[in-house]
Amino acid sequence: MGTPTITHHVVGQGGKYIAHLEGEDAKGTLEWEPGDEVDGKEVRIATHTLVPEAIGGRGVAAELVDRLVADARKQDFLIRPDCSYVAKKFEENDWDAVRA
């Protein structure tokens, strides 16, 4: 398996990261919605991460979270990890600088 291609799409006031693996129809997603600002910074609430069984076990969910965190650093927003998977990844990594 290669690294998934991850794209970001605006959905209403929030957004969705979509991971596509070459040769696969199934796609993984990480959804977020806007939260209240903290210290003048935008907050994105990570609400759901979903990776279908067909592409499970290949690190797709982790890649989606990594992309969200990379975007937070680049675009200077904070993340509130309401999704249990995203919360777990925050516990495993030193991402306090982007945590709301």
Side-chain angles (χ1 to χ4, degrees):
M1 175 205 95
T3 302
T5 301
I6 299 176
T7 56
H8 179 253
H9 306 267
V10 174
V11 179
Q13 295 296 311
K16 180 186 288 191
Y17 289 88
I18 300 174
H20 174 76
L21 294 169
E22 189 173 338
E24 296 285 351
D25 291 331
K27 293 173 177 50
T29 59
L30 186 157
E31 297 179 11
W32 65 270
E33 56 190 46
D36 294 332
E37 283 189 3
V38 172
D39 297 327
K41 288 189 177 185
E42 172 189 0
V43 173
R44 295 185 181 180
I45 304 167
T47 55
H48 303 286
T49 305
L50 176 65
V51 176
E53 190 175 325
I55 59 171
R58 301 188 208 180
V60 173
E63 291 282 346
L64 286 162
V65 178
D66 286 347
R67 170 65 189 273
L68 174 65
V69 170
D71 282 358
R73 289 180 175 141
K74 183 178 178 182
Q75 299 170 22
D76 199 30
F77 62 82
L78 300 174
I79 301 165
R80 192 175 92 195
D82 284 10
C83 166
S84 60
Y85 182 80
V86 177
K88 178 180 174 232
K89 296 306 283 181
F90 265 78
E91 289 172 14
E92 295 173 356
N93 294 277
D94 183 19
W95 293 338
D96 288 344
V98 295
R99 185 181 194 132

